[in-house]
Amino acid sequence: MKELKEKAQALIDQYSPELADKGLKILLSKRYFESEVGERSGMHGVGAIFNSIDRARDHKEEKEKGYNYERNRYHYFVLTVCPIEKSALRRENCREYAFTLKKVERAHIGQEPRRVNYNEDKILSKIEKRILKILKKAEHSLPETVCRNNILDAFRYSVHHKYEYKDRFLGKERFSWEMIFLSLFCILVFGSLFVAWLISK
């Protein structure tokens, strides 16, 4: 992991002069995040009876197979895009891009934990592509514009699992953003159904 971080930093350093010409710098950090593994989703009515049987079986398998209620675990590299010049933009308001290095994950208790190690070359390739996109955007934008989080970033942080380490962004808690986007989605769906109903009349 240390060697990979050195390679990622060398890649960033390679583009540092170009970034600096546009008033930008990229900070590399390593993040680790854990989350609880819950029981399988519930059901109502008759299905709930079978679901409770499945849950009991899940807990039995958890103990028999030695999973020991292992949590989901994720390791990331995070690129933070910041302006070189001092500004009112604080680091926590700067745009971040996460790259998953490895993870241990499962959907519910009783399921075997799935261990995934991502290919190092692919990780480095993704980091380089992101740097190139940042440079391209910087050709026509001010450094603070390139660096500052916006509503699209809030959506990205809310819906992508790899950003669960971010509890707060754009002045709101993660849960608040999740509720905002869920509400907008419901409005869009019901609005589309209403329009379809009007057209069909």
Side-chain angles (χ1 to χ4, degrees):
M1 193 76 73
K2 183 181 176 183
E3 185 182 344
L4 179 56
K5 189 174 181 181
E6 287 173 354
K7 288 179 181 178
Q9 187 61 60
L11 185 58
I12 293 167
D13 292 343
Q14 179 186 325
Y15 288 98
S16 288
E18 290 178 65
L19 289 161
D21 284 344
K22 293 174 169 54
L24 304 172
K25 62 182 177 182
I26 291 178
L27 306 175
L28 174 67
S29 59
K30 187 177 176 297
R31 293 281 186 135
Y32 175 73
F33 177 76
E34 290 188 5
S35 62
E36 291 287 349
V37 178
E39 295 182 326
R40 66 176 69 212
S41 299
M43 297 176 70
H44 299 287
V46 178
I49 298 170
F50 294 106
N51 197 251
S52 62
I53 293 169
D54 286 336
R55 285 179 178 177
R57 189 184 298 122
D58 287 342
H59 282 278
K60 185 180 178 183
E61 294 225 338
E62 192 75 24
K63 293 170 185 173
E64 287 181 352
K65 294 189 176 180
Y67 299 152
N68 299 316
Y69 296 93
E70 185 174 0
R71 292 157 66 92
N72 288 338
R73 293 179 282 128
Y74 306 90
H75 294 263
Y76 311 102
F77 279 160
V78 176
L79 302 188
T80 307
V81 190
C82 304
I84 287 179
E85 297 297 326
K86 281 190 175 180
S87 69
L89 187 61
R90 297 165 67 183
R91 181 167 174 177
E92 57 264 31
N93 295 324
C94 289
R95 193 165 280 147
E96 292 185 356
Y97 298 97
F99 302 85
T100 310
L101 307 176
K102 61 181 182 178
K103 65 182 180 180
V104 178
E105 188 178 53
R106 55 193 174 141
H108 59 78
I109 286 169
Q111 193 176 62
E112 182 180 0
R114 190 170 67 98
R115 289 166 169 76
V116 180
N117 289 312
Y118 289 88
N119 181 277
E120 289 189 4
D121 290 334
K122 286 185 178 179
I123 293 166
L124 293 171
S125 176
K126 286 180 179 180
I127 289 173
E128 185 169 26
K129 284 178 183 175
R130 176 52 59 188
I131 294 170
L132 291 171
K133 284 182 181 178
I134 291 165
L135 284 168
K136 187 174 181 181
K137 184 173 182 180
E139 289 176 5
H140 309 291
S141 304
L142 294 171
E144 279 207 20
T145 305
V146 176
C147 301
R148 188 184 298 277
N149 283 322
N150 59 31
I151 192 74
L152 293 178
D153 295 304
F155 180 74
R156 177 165 57 90
Y157 300 150
S158 297
V159 301
H160 286 287
H161 190 74
K162 60 186 177 182
Y163 294 102
E164 279 194 34
Y165 66 86
K166 291 183 73 68
D167 295 322
R168 185 179 178 83
F169 39 91
L170 259 69
K172 296 183 187 299
E173 299 294 325
R174 164 179 288 278
F175 179 75
S176 299
W177 282 113
E178 288 172 350
M179 291 301 100
I180 288 169
F181 291 123
L182 179 62
S183 301
L184 289 173
F185 176 75
C186 292
I187 290 167
L188 184 63
V189 169
F190 287 116
S192 300
L193 290 172
F194 182 68
V195 170
W197 177 75
L198 287 177
I199 293 170
S200 66
K201 285 190 72 178

